[in-house]
């Protein structure tokens, strides 16, 4: 095998590390944004749009949003959140599983 045909495993390991960091950071952000929205709701302040919460869940932060949703008891009465966030968590798990294998 020629040197230019060898596969560089360091590149794959680096990409996996980046993906894992993305997972951690996005879920932390999702949790914090959801928790802050709960505080804003209690204080009757300007709220985080639901579209933003769903976007955070879609781009990888569904677990953080889901944990905050039930820990803070926020948006749990909304059927769109009770169904949509777990569905996005499933999608996240499938995609993370695919790219981390």
């Amino acid at each position: 095998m020629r040197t230019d045909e060898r596969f560089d495993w360091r590149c794959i390991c680096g990409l996996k590390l980046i993906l894992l960091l993305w997972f951690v950071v996005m879920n932390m952000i999702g949790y914090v944004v959801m928790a802050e929205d709960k505080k804003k709701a209690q204080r009757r302040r300007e709220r985080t749009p639901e579209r933003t919460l769903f976007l955070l869940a879609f781009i990888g932060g569904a677990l953080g949003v889901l944990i905050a949703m039930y820990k803070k008891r926020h948006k749990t009465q909304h059927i769109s959140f009770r169904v949509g966030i777990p569905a996005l968590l499933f999608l996240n798990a499938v995609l993370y599983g695919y790219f981390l294998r």
Side-chain angles (χ1 to χ4, degrees):
M1 184 181 277
R2 295 186 339 225
T3 53
D4 60 337
E5 291 178 354
R6 273 192 247 149
F7 192 74
D8 188 6
W9 289 102
R10 290 174 298 182
C11 179
I12 294 298
C13 291
L15 291 175
K16 286 184 178 183
L17 178 62
I18 290 170
L19 188 59
L20 285 171
L21 287 172
W22 177 265
F23 172 76
V24 170
V25 169
M26 289 312 302
N27 281 291
M28 288 172 58
I29 291 171
Y31 183 91
V32 169
V33 170
M34 190 68 141
E36 286 297 313
D37 190 52
K38 173 67 175 190
K39 285 182 187 176
K40 290 177 184 178
Q42 291 171 330
R43 295 179 180 145
R44 302 196 186 281
R45 304 265 168 127
E46 187 175 334
R47 307 279 303 281
T48 303
E50 289 183 357
R51 172 184 272 176
T52 302
L53 298 172
F54 275 106
L55 179 63
L56 283 169
F58 179 74
I59 63 174
L63 182 61
V65 171
L66 186 70
I67 290 171
M69 195 171 113
Y70 285 100
K71 188 168 182 180
K72 303 293 182 180
R73 295 184 184 155
H74 187 50
K75 303 279 188 190
T76 56
Q77 297 300 311
H78 297 255
I79 191 73
S80 61
F81 277 84
R82 285 197 339 237
V83 173
I85 299 301
L88 289 172
L89 177 59
F90 178 76
L91 176 65
N92 284 183
V94 168
L95 291 174
Y96 283 125
Y98 176 77
F99 288 110
L100 290 175
R101 64 179 169 95

